[in-house]
Every structure is written in C-alpha cells, then in structure tokens.
C-alpha cells in the first residue's frame, strides 16, 4: 500500500540549507501531487509546496518562494524539498503528503484535508 517516508531533517544555523527527501512507494504516482506541509509549535499545519509528478507545475507558499525548491530524483519515486537561506521561523516538523488523483496543473492553495496519505514527519530546527 502507499507509504511515504521523510528524511533529511536536522538542526542548522540561520542561512544554512537542508534537503528533505520523501520516499514514496506502493503506487505509480502518475500525475499525482506530492506536497510538503509543516507545523511549527503553536501554529496550524501549513502547506509549503507541491509537485505534480506529471511535470505540469510546482507551487510554493509565499513565505518560501525563492528559497525552497521541490524536485524529483529522475523517474524514481523520491521527491526532494531543497531548503536554502533557512530562517528560524522555518523551524517545524515537515511532512510529505500525496494526493493520488490524476491532476492537470497544481492547486492554488494546499489544504491538508485533500491529502489522504502522509509521512510521519521530520524535524527541522533553525537556530539564530
């Protein structure tokens, strides 16, 4: 069955970089959405970015535009969130999530309830 496993979290200083990985299995992931969410202490879960496996589009929330990049490792079901110029406010647990419906394009906003499959999360801590 569908399984998502995040890795790559850790602790970095402000201005540093991390690459998060999401290893997805159990599905062909054709025109699927692979999204990244994060949840910081005391805040609601926030959609960060989404990637369409059909190559149609990417989406980033305003707070990470220009700093974060989503990508795929060739045709393998491994997806990345490259995080650069990290700020303390990026500190959160980061989750990858999948929507297996056949999409054309990307949604204009990310809602956690639209993603039925989730990983367990990986902690990212950015210190000043």
């Amino acid at each position: 069955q569908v399984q998502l496993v995040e890795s790559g979290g850790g602790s970095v200083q402000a201005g540093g970089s991390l690459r998060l990985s999401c290893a997805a299995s159990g599905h062909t992931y054709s025109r699927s959405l692979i999204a990244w969410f994060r949840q910081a202490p005391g805040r609601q879960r926030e959609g960060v970015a989404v990637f369409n496996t059909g190559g149609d589009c990417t989406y980033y929330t305003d707070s990470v535009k220009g700093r974060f990049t989503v990508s795929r490792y060739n045709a393998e079901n491994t997806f990345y969130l490259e995080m650069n110029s990290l700020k303390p406010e990026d500190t959160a647990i980061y989750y990858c999530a999948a929507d297996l419906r056949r999409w054309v394009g990307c949604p204009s906003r990310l809602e956690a309830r639209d993603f039925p499959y989730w990983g367990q999360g990986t902690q990212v801590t950015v210190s000043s």
Side-chain angles (χ1 to χ4, degrees):
Q1 188 50 268
V2 172
Q3 185 175 3
L4 306 174
V5 180
E6 305 97 333
S7 62
S11 298
V12 297
Q13 292 183 321
S17 299
L18 284 173
R19 173 190 283 182
L20 305 185
S21 297
C22 178
S25 61
H27 190 75
T28 57
Y29 297 97
S30 177
R31 290 188 175 271
S32 301
L33 299 181
I34 304 297
W36 292 91
F37 290 78
R38 66 186 180 185
Q39 188 160 20
R43 304 190 68 177
Q44 292 185 320
R45 190 164 297 186
E46 174 191 23
V48 175
V50 67
F51 175 88
N52 189 314
T53 62
D56 295 319
C57 63
T58 57
Y59 162 85
Y60 303 92
T61 193
D62 287 344
S63 63
V64 308
K65 286 180 179 177
R67 300 189 298 119
F68 291 12
T69 304
V70 292
S71 62
R72 184 181 192 175
Y73 180 72
N74 295 328
E76 301 297 321
N77 290 329
T78 300
F79 306 91
Y80 300 114
L81 179 67
E82 296 272 4
M83 305 186 295
N84 300 307
S85 301
L86 283 163
K87 305 175 180 179
E89 50 263 44
D90 295 318
T91 295
I93 301 174
Y94 284 73
Y95 302 86
C96 65
D99 180 350
L100 305 185
R101 295 176 293 180
R102 293 179 60 83
W103 275 84
V104 176
C106 288
S108 58
R109 60 181 62 85
L110 296 177
E111 297 286 349
R113 62 178 178 268
D114 293 331
F115 291 83
Y117 301 102
W118 292 81
Q120 283 68 54
T122 185
Q123 176 71 49
V124 171
T125 302
V126 185
S127 61
S128 58

